[in-house]
Amino acid sequence: MNSTSARRLGIALIVLVSVGYTIIPLVASLATASASVNARLLVLLAAFYWPHFLHVRQAFTGARSRWLPATLAVQAVAAYLPEVLGFTGWSAGTAPLLAGPVLLLRWGGVLVTTMAAAEFWWLQGIFHNVTGSYFYALTIVITGAMIYVVVRLVRVTAELEQARADLAEAAVLKERLRISRDLHDGLGHSLTAIVLKGDLAARLMDRDLPAAKTEVGALVQVARETALEVRQVARGYRRMTLADEVHRATALLESSGIGCQVNLAEMTPSREQDEALAWAVREGVTNILRHSRATTCSITTSNRAGRTRLEIVNNGLAPDDARTARPFGGGLTGLAERAAQTGGTVEAGHAPEGGFRLTMEVPA
């Protein structure tokens, strides 16, 4: 049931109950009383029902008018004044309907209980019927609670509908963020590899044609893998492993003239943690190729205190650059988000002797 249907059903229930409380005495009065009495009766009914339905409509929308005290006072006067004017038992039909809006107030429960006690005392004093007086006093509590519950159910339905819309929008935004992050990390690495292999093939073209052809073939292979990665990102089922990414990183670094030392500890991380570590290797190697003049690099993993630590260290970053570098750019920010999803952390900063260190820790 959507919020519109719930609201229509709630209005129908309250209208049915509201009319039911007054239709019998109204018909009896129109059939037996004089025209002047009936005219006053209709005026009093209008004075009661106008604020009554105004309060219900405001409650359904969740609004609270600044005129609520005044309109509630008008409804209260119209609910009890006719008793003084000679309409005996009038409040037995209007007080239960008044209890609904009263319950929406801060001290509504206390006020409704007071109304029920006053109604019992008043009717018992007039009719001297304890059972009947008790019944009419009880209807104030029951009817007020029913109106309050119907209004709250309608409001909760509307809030749930809005929450579903917000969750759907959040899911769309999250998916867009995932795609943009994967494209940034994946394409950045692949395009860097394509540029490096293209430059190397161009340098080898004149002096070592077979080697140049080999590099061009490798470039084409990287381009094909990149196209496949883009399709996988769009479909949402990328699968990366730390071992595969370290293997690719080593080959790329060595083809760029950077010596790479790898030392991977024995471990069996979960899929999410393994992918987070793989993304760290990809981002770290991409940054080395883009932003450093490195000649050596090391990729190390270790297990300690229930956590797996990945460390990527390279040289070739001038000490002044290391001190002023901004460690968390767009790629590293995305990497930190990936680590946080698995309960891990990322740190980046300069290493001794003018190098740069990237570390990621995830639960083992």
Side-chain angles (χ1 to χ4, degrees), residues 124-312:
Q124 200 274 336
I126 294 176
F127 300 109
H128 305 288
N129 186 333
V130 175
T131 302
S133 301
Y134 176 78
F135 170 78
Y136 282 111
L138 188 62
T139 60
I140 294 178
V141 178
I142 295 176
T143 305
M146 184 276 296
I147 294 175
Y148 177 81
V149 168
V150 169
V151 169
R152 287 303 305 154
L153 285 177
V154 172
R155 291 298 306 147
V156 168
T157 302
E159 291 168 2
L160 288 176
E161 191 174 75
Q162 183 60 43
R164 285 196 297 268
D166 293 341
L167 287 174
E169 184 178 356
V172 171
L173 293 176
K174 183 177 180 180
E175 182 66 7
R176 289 176 179 173
L177 177 61
R178 181 194 67 80
I179 291 175
S180 64
R181 185 176 59 195
D182 286 0
L183 287 176
H184 174 275
D185 297 345
L187 284 181
H189 176 85
S190 300
L191 292 176
T192 299
I194 290 172
V195 170
L196 291 173
K197 290 187 176 296
D199 290 342
L200 181 58
R203 291 196 301 269
L204 294 173
M205 194 68 69
D206 293 332
R207 64 175 184 267
D208 192 347
L209 187 58
K213 290 182 178 179
T214 301
E215 293 299 328
V216 170
L219 186 152
V220 172
Q221 181 62 30
V222 172
R224 288 175 177 169
E225 292 177 355
T226 302
L228 178 60
E229 288 178 357
V230 170
R231 288 194 294 270
Q232 290 176 337
V233 167
R235 293 172 184 172
Y237 59 83
R238 295 207 56 161
R239 180 67 175 101
M240 294 177 62
T241 65
L242 176 62
D244 290 343
E245 201 58 40
V246 168
H247 178 74
R248 294 192 187 97
T250 302
L252 181 58
L253 289 170
E254 291 180 348
S255 68
S256 303
I258 302 174
C260 186
Q261 181 179 358
V262 177
N263 184 13
L264 300 182
E266 291 290 335
M267 56 183 182
T268 55
S270 66
R271 173 173 176 171
E272 292 78 10
Q273 294 162 349
D274 195 36
E275 286 187 348
L277 294 171
W279 279 113
V281 172
R282 173 166 291 198
E283 178 63 24
V285 171
T286 300
N287 287 340
I288 291 172
L289 295 173
R290 283 182 174 178
H291 307 302
S292 76
R293 299 179 294 276
T295 58
T296 62
C297 172
S298 65
I299 302 175
T300 306
T301 61
S302 60
N303 294 316
R304 60 181 182 181
R307 297 179 71 82
T308 299
R309 177 183 176 90
L310 168 71
E311 185 175 88
I312 304 173

